[in-house]
Amino acid sequence: MHKSGFVNIVGNPNVGKSTLMNTLVGEKISIITSKAQTTRHRILGIVNTPDYQIVYSDTPGVLRPNYKLQESMLNFSESALSDADVLLYVTDVIEKTSKNEEFLHKVQNTEAPVLLLINKIDQTNQKELEDLVIEWQKLLPKAEIYPISALNKFNVDLVKKRILELIPESPPYFEKDALTDRPARFFVTETIREKILLYYQKEVPYAVEVVVEEFKEEKDIINIRALIVVERDTQKGIIIGHKGLALKKVGAMARKDIEKFFEKKIFLTMYVKVEKDWRSRDNLLRQFGYRLD
Ligand code: GDP
Ligand code: MG
C-alpha cells in the first residue's frame, strides 16, 4: 500500500512556515530570514520513502496586497487552501488570534483536515501557551492543535506522524527521487535573494528580483550569471556599494551556500540593472514567474 498527498503550509508572514517546511523535508528548500515577505512563490518540498510520498508546499504569508507583486503572492496562499489533503495552519506564540480574521474564515470552511500549529513555543511559558490553545480551540473547533518549535524541531515528529495517518492511499504524484518541483536555477535566485535580505536595510531588498541568466554545468564547476533587478538608480548604487564591496560580499556569501547545495565548485558573476517600478508592471512580473489573474 502506498500513500501520497499534498500538505499545504499557510499562515501569516514570519510565523515560521519556511522553517517548518525545511524541518519536515530535512533540506533547505525554502529561504528563511527574520523579515516578512521572504517567501514570494509557492514552493514544493517532497519527502519520499518506499511507502509514501508527502508533497509539502510552502506559501508566502497572507497579507493585504499593496503592489501587483503582493496580489500574486496572495493568490499562491489562497490556492493552497483548495488543493490540500492536509492543511497546516501555522501561527506562533506572538501573533494575536485576531490578526487575520478573513483568512481564518476561509480556513474554517476548507474541507481538508486542519492541523493548527502554534510555533515558537520556546518563546513562551506553560500558562500563556495554555491560554492561547484555549483561544484557538474556540476559533477553530475542528482543528487539531499542536504546540511546536520548528527551529528546535520540538513536536515536529508528532505532526509528521499525524500527517501520515491523514494522507490517502494513492500512487506518487512525482518521481520518487524528486526533492522539489523547482529547477536548479530557482535555488540560485532564492539563495541570492536571501543574502540580499540579510545584508541590506529597509526597503531595498523588497525592490529586488534576481534572475539567473546563465547556468552552465561543466565537469568540475558550475558557471552562473545572475542579474539583480532593482526599481531605481539609488537602489542600484546601494546594492553595489562603495567600490563594489557590498555586492562582492553578498556574492561570496551566496556562492558558499550554492556550493553546498550542489556539492560542486561555483563560479558566480552578478550584475545590477534598473527596471523602473518592476513590481507594478505585469509583463515583468510574468517574466519573473509570478502568476497574475
Ligand atoms: P515564514 O515567513 O512564516 O516563512 O517564517 P520563517 O520560516 O522565514 O521564519 C521567520 C523567523 O522566525 C526566522 O527568524 C526564524 O528563524 C524564526 N523561527 C522559526 N521557527 C522558530 C521557532 O520555533 N522558535 C523561534 N524562537 N524562532 C523561530
Ligand atoms: Mg517563508
Side-chain angles (χ1 to χ4, degrees):
M1 180 189 95
H2 188 275
K3 288 183 129 190
S4 197
F6 288 88
V7 177
N8 297 352
I9 306 173
V10 297
N12 287 312
N14 231 17
V15 294
K17 296 180 297 299
S18 298
T19 307
L20 176 69
M21 157 108 152
N22 292 341
T23 302
L24 286 164
V25 176
E27 290 271 349
K28 188 167 170 187
I29 299 277
S30 217
I31 63 170
I32 297 162
T33 78
S34 59
K35 295 181 184 172
Q37 301 176 43
T38 301
T39 309
R40 286 181 179 169
H41 298 264
R42 203 171 153 183
I43 300 166
L44 300 189
I46 304 168
V47 176
N48 290 295
T49 73
D51 303 327
Y52 63 82
Q53 177 175 75
I54 307 177
V55 185
Y56 291 102
S57 93
D58 183 19
T59 57
V62 185
L63 38 85
R64 266 167 231 296
N66 280 325
Y67 305 98
K68 275 261 169 58
L69 169 64
Q70 294 182 340
E71 270 174 43
S72 166
M73 286 162 64
L74 185 62
N75 283 341
F76 284 124
S77 292
E78 297 203 334
S79 71
L81 291 178
S82 55
D83 59 9
D85 292 303
V86 179
L87 196 67
L88 303 184
Y89 185 32
V90 185
T91 175
D92 65 17
V93 297
I94 301 144
E95 73 171 2
K96 298 261 175 299
T97 52
S98 58
K99 170 96 184 272
N100 201 327
E101 283 170 343
E102 211 177 306
F103 192 75
L104 190 69
H105 194 73
K106 288 179 183 154
V107 171
Q108 277 168 334
N109 290 324
T110 52
E111 300 202 346
V114 178
L115 308 187
L116 179 84
L117 309 183
I118 305 177
N119 190 28
K120 307 190 189 177
I121 58 165
D122 53 293
Q123 300 284 306
T124 188
N125 59 50
Q126 186 79 30
K127 172 79 180 70
E128 277 174 18
L129 182 60
E130 281 167 6
D131 291 345
L132 194 58
V133 169
I134 290 168
E135 242 182 273
W136 277 112
Q137 262 164 352
K138 283 185 198 142
L139 286 168
L140 284 173
K142 282 192 296 187
E144 296 172 28
I145 300 178
Y146 292 85
I148 65 164
S149 170
L151 198 62
N152 303 322
K153 305 189 183 3
F154 182 78
N155 264 354
V156 175
D157 276 347
L158 201 68
V159 173
K160 208 165 177 174
K161 222 175 110 199
R162 186 65 185 128
I163 290 168
L164 268 176
E165 289 169 359
L166 289 169
I167 58 171
E169 236 175 276
S170 152
Y173 294 97
F174 296 88
E175 299 289 329
K176 291 284 289 201
D177 60 358
L179 175 65
T180 176
D181 63 327
R182 292 282 168 175
R185 284 168 187 253
F186 182 74
F187 291 96
V188 176
T189 60
E190 288 292 278
T191 303
I192 295 171
R193 230 163 47 71
E194 179 184 67
K195 301 311 171 202
I196 290 171
L197 277 157
L198 291 171
Y199 195 79
Y200 300 99
Q201 311 294 314
K202 295 187 191 138
E203 266 302 294
V204 174
Y206 299 106
V208 166
E209 179 69 24
V210 180
V211 181
V212 171
E213 295 194 318
E214 189 179 292
F215 185 100
K216 227 165 80 201
E217 186 154 10
E218 286 160 25
K219 195 165 150 280
D220 301 317
I221 197 166
I222 307 174
N223 283 299
I224 300 171
R225 191 177 73 244
L227 170 66
I228 298 173
V229 180
V230 293
E231 291 194 314
R232 280 191 287 276
D233 290 323
T234 47
Q235 294 160 349
K236 180 173 173 176
I238 292 168
I239 292 285
I240 293 172
H242 182 60
K243 291 186 173 163
L245 273 181
L247 189 60
K248 223 169 166 175
K249 209 156 188 172
V250 164
M253 290 193 291
R255 190 172 52 82
K256 233 169 104 188
D257 278 21
I258 299 167
E259 282 187 340
K260 215 156 114 198
F261 189 84
F262 292 104
E263 294 177 337
K264 211 160 176 178
K265 206 167 147 55
I266 301 290
F267 186 73
L268 175 68
T269 46
M270 299 199 297
Y271 66 104
V272 187
K273 185 177 157 189
V274 179
E275 289 278 12
K276 291 249 176 307
D277 301 320
W278 67 263
R279 279 187 293 181
S280 306
R281 285 162 64 186
D282 286 5
N283 58 337
L284 285 174
L285 286 170
R286 279 202 194 89
Q287 201 179 314
F288 295 152
Y290 297 101
R291 205 186 57 206
L292 308 172
D293 293 330

